[in-house]
Amino acid sequence: MNASNKQAGLEAIIGYTFSDKGLLKRALTHRSMTEQHMERLEFLGDAVLGLAISEFLHHHFPELPEGKLSRMRSALVRKESLYEVALVWKLTGYLHVGESERVADGIKSPSIAANAVEAVIGAVFQDSGWEPARKLVLQAWQSMLQGIDQVDNRDAKSRLQELTQAQSWGLPEYELQDHGVGKNPRFEARCSVKGELMGVGFGERKKQAEIAAAEQAWQQLKT
């Protein structure tokens, strides 16, 4: 399959056809491949994503205070949410990365795919402007937007710390192990409360592993 046909497959998935095909190619190209890479489009897409999500939340939840809206937005635009979209779009199969970023079964870091989601959003904005980019975001985030006001948007580390302090158990402690570049997941975190191991979590990033460990600990301790 040639490059243009391959890109057409992604266009079908995201429901948008580019006038400037070069923009999509650039959005899918990592800096390890060429100087014409995704990072400037990623910068633009990050801003477009934040505005599209903010506008949606502001319009649909007029009764909620700014703090709650901010937590909801943060949950929706974090790397884990971007990676969920990347999985739905099957984005890793369309990315152009250098050999230094490859492993046997794909790319080294899921964060590259998450960043590419922002780059694609930025490319749509540059290609056609606000409304098509906004439509793309709301369609891609549709399942995450449903019931977002009912979700506790504090990350698990914050929730766990509030619980342990309320119970006078002191602060949770985290022990992190790095399994090395190319391992998936790369990081393993162990969360202890009062010296007792309460949760173990894994992730591509340190924070992701710690949050997963904290979530497991919080689920155990809250009961």
Side-chain angles (χ1 to χ4, degrees), residues 174-177 179 187-191 197 199-203 206-214:
Y174 296 90
E175 179 184 349
L176 195 70
Q177 184 174 358
H179 295 295
F187 294 101
E188 176 182 349
R190 302 167 71 84
C191 176
L197 178 65
V200 179
F202 301 89
K206 295 176 182 179
K207 183 178 179 181
Q208 186 179 17
E210 290 181 348
I211 287 175

Side-chain angles (χ1 to χ4, degrees), residues 47-61 69 72-77 130 134 137-138 140-142 144-145 148:
V48 173
L49 171 62
L51 179 56
I53 294 297
S54 296
E55 182 189 54
F56 176 91
L57 296 175
H58 180 266
H59 176 73
H60 283 81
F61 305 107
L69 293 175
M72 291 161 66
R73 180 181 59 195
S74 295
L76 289 163
V77 303
W130 167 246
R134 172 183 168 276
V137 168
L138 296 184
W141 265 257
Q142 183 178 14
M144 287 183 274
L145 288 168
I148 186 65

Side-chain angles (χ1 to χ4, degrees), residues 25-42:
K25 181 179 180 181
R26 185 169 181 175
L28 299 172
T29 302
H30 188 254
R31 67 183 303 170
S32 60
M33 195 74 175
T34 175
E35 291 183 0
Q36 299 298 314
H37 53 73
M38 65 175 69
E39 288 185 2
R40 287 180 61 86
L41 289 173
E42 178 191 341

Side-chain angles (χ1 to χ4, degrees), residues 68 71-72 75 78 148-149 151-155 159:
K68 173 69 172 176
R71 290 193 296 272
M72 291 161 66
R78 61 192 177 193
I148 186 65
D149 58 321
V151 176
D152 187 342
N153 299 117
R154 297 169 300 165
D155 70 41
R159 284 186 272 118

Side-chain angles (χ1 to χ4, degrees), residues 63-127:
E63 77 288 354
L64 294 182
E66 181 271 341
K68 173 69 172 176
L69 293 175
S70 294
R71 290 193 296 272
M72 291 161 66
R73 180 181 59 195
S74 295
L76 289 163
V77 303
R78 61 192 177 193
K79 289 295 183 186
E80 290 79 8
S81 299
L82 287 161
Y83 189 58
E84 283 187 40
V85 175
L87 291 175
V88 173
W89 286 356
K90 300 179 173 61
L91 205 54
T92 55
Y94 297 95
L95 293 174
H96 308 290
V97 300
E99 290 300 320
S100 63
E101 295 296 334
R102 294 184 183 278
V103 291
D105 57 349
I107 58 176
K108 275 183 182 178
S109 173
S111 65
I112 296 176
N115 294 341
V117 170
E118 290 183 324
V120 169
I121 294 168
V124 170
F125 179 81
Q126 188 162 329
D127 194 53

Side-chain angles (χ1 to χ4, degrees), residues 7-8 10-11 14 18 20-29 41 120 123:
Q7 286 190 184
L10 180 57
E11 287 176 323
I14 68 176
F18 281 83
D20 182 352
K21 305 296 184 183
L23 280 171
L24 178 55
K25 181 179 180 181
R26 185 169 181 175
L28 299 172
T29 302
L41 289 173
V120 169

